[in-house]
Amino acid sequence: MKLNRKIFPALIIFWLLVVDVFLFNDLTLENEVKKFPNFSTVNLEGESITEKIFADKITVLCVWTTNQEICFEVLRELDTMQKNFPADVQVVGLVGDLRADDTEKFFVAKNIAKKYSPQILQLAVNDDFYSVLSKIKSVPTTIFVDKQGNLAGQPAGGANVKFIRRELEYILEKDSPKFSALKKIQDTILFR
């Protein structure tokens, strides 16, 4: 009888974990955006830009709006940080409240970008960005796109520039031997 008292709770916990893992995996796979969508938009100079800007570079993409001052500080920090990034890393801004046909907002966005982030390419949004923008709950939010156009790392919401820097370092180290060794240790120790 004592054996059953120990085994029964363990079995219940085991089955709850198994069910939770399967449900969690189904939910995340169903709702997760894994690749940045193909797009065709314009930058603040009116030049056409497509998803080809992601080719051969890791992109730090900051989604911001023209009516949130906290966004301007993040843009300033990213502009400063970009000077120290490796050559295969670029910073791009996506003005979340700017549509290509809104000339008044274009003027506002252009002035903000000129003042706070003159080195960063800024893009207007359109319906092509819906799958990514619909997942963003607040601005600024910084996401990372790898060289193949896949979303990488964890999004950084708010003005946490230290987190943005750490997440970028993590993404850059992913292919390193140090990361492979760490991943092997984690996979060995942690139940996934």
PDB file of all heavy atoms in Angstrom, residues 156-174:
ATOM      1  N   ALA A 156      12.263  42.339 -27.490  1.00  0.00           N
ATOM      2  CA  ALA A 156      12.544  43.206 -26.341  1.00  0.00           C
ATOM      3  C   ALA A 156      11.529  44.333 -26.332  1.00  0.00           C
ATOM      4  O   ALA A 156      11.574  45.216 -27.181  1.00  0.00           O
ATOM      5  CB  ALA A 156      13.963  43.757 -26.438  1.00  0.00           C
ATOM      6  N   GLY A 157      10.613  44.278 -25.398  1.00  0.00           N
ATOM      7  CA  GLY A 157       9.613  45.326 -25.282  1.00  0.00           C
ATOM      8  C   GLY A 157      10.118  46.451 -24.400  1.00  0.00           C
ATOM      9  O   GLY A 157      10.859  46.230 -23.452  1.00  0.00           O
ATOM     10  N   GLY A 158       9.745  47.667 -24.730  1.00  0.00           N
ATOM     11  CA  GLY A 158      10.126  48.816 -23.922  1.00  0.00           C
ATOM     12  C   GLY A 158      11.515  49.326 -24.243  1.00  0.00           C
ATOM     13  O   GLY A 158      12.083  49.050 -25.292  1.00  0.00           O
ATOM     14  N   ALA A 159      12.049  50.068 -23.295  1.00  0.00           N
ATOM     15  CA  ALA A 159      13.315  50.774 -23.516  1.00  0.00           C
ATOM     16  C   ALA A 159      14.500  50.075 -22.861  1.00  0.00           C
ATOM     17  O   ALA A 159      15.466  50.720 -22.488  1.00  0.00           O
ATOM     18  CB  ALA A 159      13.187  52.201 -22.986  1.00  0.00           C
ATOM     19  N   ASN A 160      14.454  48.764 -22.743  1.00  0.00           N
ATOM     20  CA  ASN A 160      15.519  48.023 -22.088  1.00  0.00           C
ATOM     21  C   ASN A 160      16.656  47.739 -23.077  1.00  0.00           C
ATOM     22  O   ASN A 160      16.744  46.665 -23.659  1.00  0.00           O
ATOM     23  CB  ASN A 160      14.972  46.721 -21.497  1.00  0.00           C
ATOM     24  CG  ASN A 160      15.961  46.050 -20.576  1.00  0.00           C
ATOM     25  OD1 ASN A 160      17.147  46.349 -20.587  1.00  0.00           O
ATOM     26  ND2 ASN A 160      15.456  45.135 -19.772  1.00  0.00           N
ATOM     27  N   VAL A 161      17.517  48.723 -23.242  1.00  0.00           N
ATOM     28  CA  VAL A 161      18.598  48.630 -24.220  1.00  0.00           C
ATOM     29  C   VAL A 161      19.622  47.570 -23.807  1.00  0.00           C
ATOM     30  O   VAL A 161      20.202  46.901 -24.667  1.00  0.00           O
ATOM     31  CB  VAL A 161      19.259  50.009 -24.422  1.00  0.00           C
ATOM     32  CG1 VAL A 161      20.383  49.937 -25.426  1.00  0.00           C
ATOM     33  CG2 VAL A 161      18.214  51.021 -24.867  1.00  0.00           C
ATOM     34  N   LYS A 162      19.811  47.366 -22.508  1.00  0.00           N
ATOM     35  CA  LYS A 162      20.733  46.321 -22.049  1.00  0.00           C
ATOM     36  C   LYS A 162      20.244  44.945 -22.500  1.00  0.00           C
ATOM     37  O   LYS A 162      21.030  44.111 -22.923  1.00  0.00           O
ATOM     38  CB  LYS A 162      20.882  46.355 -20.529  1.00  0.00           C
ATOM     39  CG  LYS A 162      21.687  47.519 -20.027  1.00  0.00           C
ATOM     40  CD  LYS A 162      21.824  47.479 -18.526  1.00  0.00           C
ATOM     41  CE  LYS A 162      22.582  48.696 -18.040  1.00  0.00           C
ATOM     42  NZ  LYS A 162      22.702  48.715 -16.581  1.00  0.00           N
ATOM     43  N   PHE A 163      18.935  44.714 -22.406  1.00  0.00           N
ATOM     44  CA  PHE A 163      18.382  43.443 -22.858  1.00  0.00           C
ATOM     45  C   PHE A 163      18.571  43.283 -24.365  1.00  0.00           C
ATOM     46  O   PHE A 163      18.900  42.202 -24.847  1.00  0.00           O
ATOM     47  CB  PHE A 163      16.899  43.313 -22.494  1.00  0.00           C
ATOM     48  CG  PHE A 163      16.305  42.017 -22.957  1.00  0.00           C
ATOM     49  CD1 PHE A 163      16.530  40.849 -22.253  1.00  0.00           C
ATOM     50  CD2 PHE A 163      15.549  41.958 -24.110  1.00  0.00           C
ATOM     51  CE1 PHE A 163      15.998  39.639 -22.692  1.00  0.00           C
ATOM     52  CE2 PHE A 163      15.009  40.762 -24.557  1.00  0.00           C
ATOM     53  CZ  PHE A 163      15.238  39.600 -23.839  1.00  0.00           C
ATOM     54  N   ILE A 164      18.359  44.349 -25.110  1.00  0.00           N
ATOM     55  CA  ILE A 164      18.549  44.298 -26.566  1.00  0.00           C
ATOM     56  C   ILE A 164      19.983  43.897 -26.887  1.00  0.00           C
ATOM     57  O   ILE A 164      20.225  43.022 -27.716  1.00  0.00           O
ATOM     58  CB  ILE A 164      18.205  45.656 -27.216  1.00  0.00           C
ATOM     59  CG1 ILE A 164      16.705  45.962 -27.047  1.00  0.00           C
ATOM     60  CG2 ILE A 164      18.601  45.687 -28.683  1.00  0.00           C
ATOM     61  CD1 ILE A 164      16.313  47.377 -27.421  1.00  0.00           C
ATOM     62  N   ARG A 165      20.914  44.510 -26.206  1.00  0.00           N
ATOM     63  CA  ARG A 165      22.341  44.195 -26.436  1.00  0.00           C
ATOM     64  C   ARG A 165      22.641  42.748 -26.070  1.00  0.00           C
ATOM     65  O   ARG A 165      23.296  42.034 -26.815  1.00  0.00           O
ATOM     66  CB  ARG A 165      23.222  45.141 -25.633  1.00  0.00           C
ATOM     67  CG  ARG A 165      24.701  44.989 -25.903  1.00  0.00           C
ATOM     68  CD  ARG A 165      25.524  45.869 -24.990  1.00  0.00           C
ATOM     69  NE  ARG A 165      24.956  47.191 -24.875  1.00  0.00           N
ATOM     70  CZ  ARG A 165      25.501  48.298 -25.371  1.00  0.00           C
ATOM     71  NH1 ARG A 165      26.627  48.229 -25.998  1.00  0.00           N
ATOM     72  NH2 ARG A 165      24.918  49.459 -25.212  1.00  0.00           N
ATOM     73  N   ARG A 166      22.134  42.287 -24.915  1.00  0.00           N
ATOM     74  CA  ARG A 166      22.375  40.898 -24.488  1.00  0.00           C
ATOM     75  C   ARG A 166      21.751  39.906 -25.450  1.00  0.00           C
ATOM     76  O   ARG A 166      22.343  38.884 -25.781  1.00  0.00           O
ATOM     77  CB  ARG A 166      21.812  40.672 -23.080  1.00  0.00           C
ATOM     78  CG  ARG A 166      22.792  40.935 -21.983  1.00  0.00           C
ATOM     79  CD  ARG A 166      22.351  40.321 -20.663  1.00  0.00           C
ATOM     80  NE  ARG A 166      20.946  40.482 -20.364  1.00  0.00           N
ATOM     81  CZ  ARG A 166      20.439  41.403 -19.549  1.00  0.00           C
ATOM     82  NH1 ARG A 166      21.229  42.246 -18.949  1.00  0.00           N
ATOM     83  NH2 ARG A 166      19.142  41.455 -19.335  1.00  0.00           N
ATOM     84  N   GLU A 167      20.551  40.204 -25.896  1.00  0.00           N
ATOM     85  CA  GLU A 167      19.870  39.284 -26.816  1.00  0.00           C
ATOM     86  C   GLU A 167      20.620  39.205 -28.146  1.00  0.00           C
ATOM     87  O   GLU A 167      20.763  38.136 -28.728  1.00  0.00           O
ATOM     88  CB  GLU A 167      18.420  39.722 -27.026  1.00  0.00           C
ATOM     89  CG  GLU A 167      17.572  38.687 -27.685  1.00  0.00           C
ATOM     90  CD  GLU A 167      17.420  37.401 -26.890  1.00  0.00           C
ATOM     91  OE1 GLU A 167      17.579  37.398 -25.648  1.00  0.00           O
ATOM     92  OE2 GLU A 167      17.146  36.357 -27.514  1.00  0.00           O
ATOM     93  N   LEU A 168      21.115  40.337 -28.617  1.00  0.00           N
ATOM     94  CA  LEU A 168      21.904  40.341 -29.854  1.00  0.00           C
ATOM     95  C   LEU A 168      23.184  39.526 -29.663  1.00  0.00           C
ATOM     96  O   LEU A 168      23.556  38.744 -30.540  1.00  0.00           O
ATOM     97  CB  LEU A 168      22.231  41.768 -30.297  1.00  0.00           C
ATOM     98  CG  LEU A 168      23.075  41.861 -31.556  1.00  0.00           C
ATOM     99  CD1 LEU A 168      22.363  41.241 -32.761  1.00  0.00           C
ATOM    100  CD2 LEU A 168      23.422  43.314 -31.849  1.00  0.00           C
ATOM    101  N   GLU A 169      23.852  39.682 -28.540  1.00  0.00           N
ATOM    102  CA  GLU A 169      25.051  38.892 -28.266  1.00  0.00           C
ATOM    103  C   GLU A 169      24.731  37.405 -28.263  1.00  0.00           C
ATOM    104  O   GLU A 169      25.485  36.595 -28.801  1.00  0.00           O
ATOM    105  CB  GLU A 169      25.667  39.306 -26.922  1.00  0.00           C
ATOM    106  CG  GLU A 169      26.315  40.674 -26.961  1.00  0.00           C
ATOM    107  CD  GLU A 169      26.709  41.187 -25.584  1.00  0.00           C
ATOM    108  OE1 GLU A 169      26.488  40.477 -24.566  1.00  0.00           O
ATOM    109  OE2 GLU A 169      27.225  42.308 -25.511  1.00  0.00           O
ATOM    110  N   TYR A 170      23.600  37.042 -27.675  1.00  0.00           N
ATOM    111  CA  TYR A 170      23.175  35.645 -27.657  1.00  0.00           C
ATOM    112  C   TYR A 170      22.963  35.131 -29.080  1.00  0.00           C
ATOM    113  O   TYR A 170      23.421  34.042 -29.426  1.00  0.00           O
ATOM    114  CB  TYR A 170      21.881  35.527 -26.836  1.00  0.00           C
ATOM    115  CG  TYR A 170      21.212  34.183 -26.937  1.00  0.00           C
ATOM    116  CD1 TYR A 170      21.676  33.099 -26.209  1.00  0.00           C
ATOM    117  CD2 TYR A 170      20.114  33.995 -27.766  1.00  0.00           C
ATOM    118  CE1 TYR A 170      21.060  31.859 -26.292  1.00  0.00           C
ATOM    119  CE2 TYR A 170      19.489  32.760 -27.861  1.00  0.00           C
ATOM    120  CZ  TYR A 170      19.969  31.705 -27.127  1.00  0.00           C
ATOM    121  OH  TYR A 170      19.369  30.488 -27.227  1.00  0.00           O
ATOM    122  N   ILE A 171      22.296  35.912 -29.908  1.00  0.00           N
ATOM    123  CA  ILE A 171      22.032  35.504 -31.291  1.00  0.00           C
ATOM    124  C   ILE A 171      23.342  35.355 -32.065  1.00  0.00           C
ATOM    125  O   ILE A 171      23.517  34.403 -32.826  1.00  0.00           O
ATOM    126  CB  ILE A 171      21.093  36.513 -31.980  1.00  0.00           C
ATOM    127  CG1 ILE A 171      19.703  36.426 -31.348  1.00  0.00           C
ATOM    128  CG2 ILE A 171      21.017  36.280 -33.486  1.00  0.00           C
ATOM    129  CD1 ILE A 171      18.788  37.577 -31.699  1.00  0.00           C
ATOM    130  N   LEU A 172      24.267  36.268 -31.854  1.00  0.00           N
ATOM    131  CA  LEU A 172      25.554  36.204 -32.553  1.00  0.00           C
ATOM    132  C   LEU A 172      26.374  35.003 -32.108  1.00  0.00           C
ATOM    133  O   LEU A 172      27.124  34.425 -32.898  1.00  0.00           O
ATOM    134  CB  LEU A 172      26.344  37.493 -32.332  1.00  0.00           C
ATOM    135  CG  LEU A 172      25.775  38.747 -32.988  1.00  0.00           C
ATOM    136  CD1 LEU A 172      26.525  39.988 -32.530  1.00  0.00           C
ATOM    137  CD2 LEU A 172      25.804  38.629 -34.506  1.00  0.00           C
ATOM    138  N   GLU A 173      26.229  34.601 -30.843  1.00  0.00           N
ATOM    139  CA  GLU A 173      27.003  33.475 -30.314  1.00  0.00           C
ATOM    140  C   GLU A 173      26.370  32.122 -30.611  1.00  0.00           C
ATOM    141  O   GLU A 173      26.977  31.085 -30.360  1.00  0.00           O
ATOM    142  CB  GLU A 173      27.173  33.618 -28.800  1.00  0.00           C
ATOM    143  CG  GLU A 173      28.112  34.719 -28.404  1.00  0.00           C
ATOM    144  CD  GLU A 173      28.281  34.825 -26.892  1.00  0.00           C
ATOM    145  OE1 GLU A 173      27.566  34.113 -26.150  1.00  0.00           O
ATOM    146  OE2 GLU A 173      29.119  35.616 -26.467  1.00  0.00           O
ATOM    147  N   LYS A 174      25.146  32.109 -31.138  1.00  0.00           N
ATOM    148  CA  LYS A 174      24.419  30.854 -31.336  1.00  0.00           C
ATOM    149  C   LYS A 174      25.190  29.816 -32.142  1.00  0.00           C
ATOM    150  O   LYS A 174      25.075  28.631 -31.894  1.00  0.00           O
ATOM    151  CB  LYS A 174      23.094  31.128 -32.038  1.00  0.00           C
ATOM    152  CG  LYS A 174      21.910  30.930 -31.166  1.00  0.00           C
ATOM    153  CD  LYS A 174      20.674  31.326 -31.883  1.00  0.00           C
ATOM    154  CE  LYS A 174      19.780  30.143 -32.044  1.00  0.00           C
ATOM    155  NZ  LYS A 174      18.464  30.488 -32.514  1.00  0.00           N
TER     156      LYS A 174
END
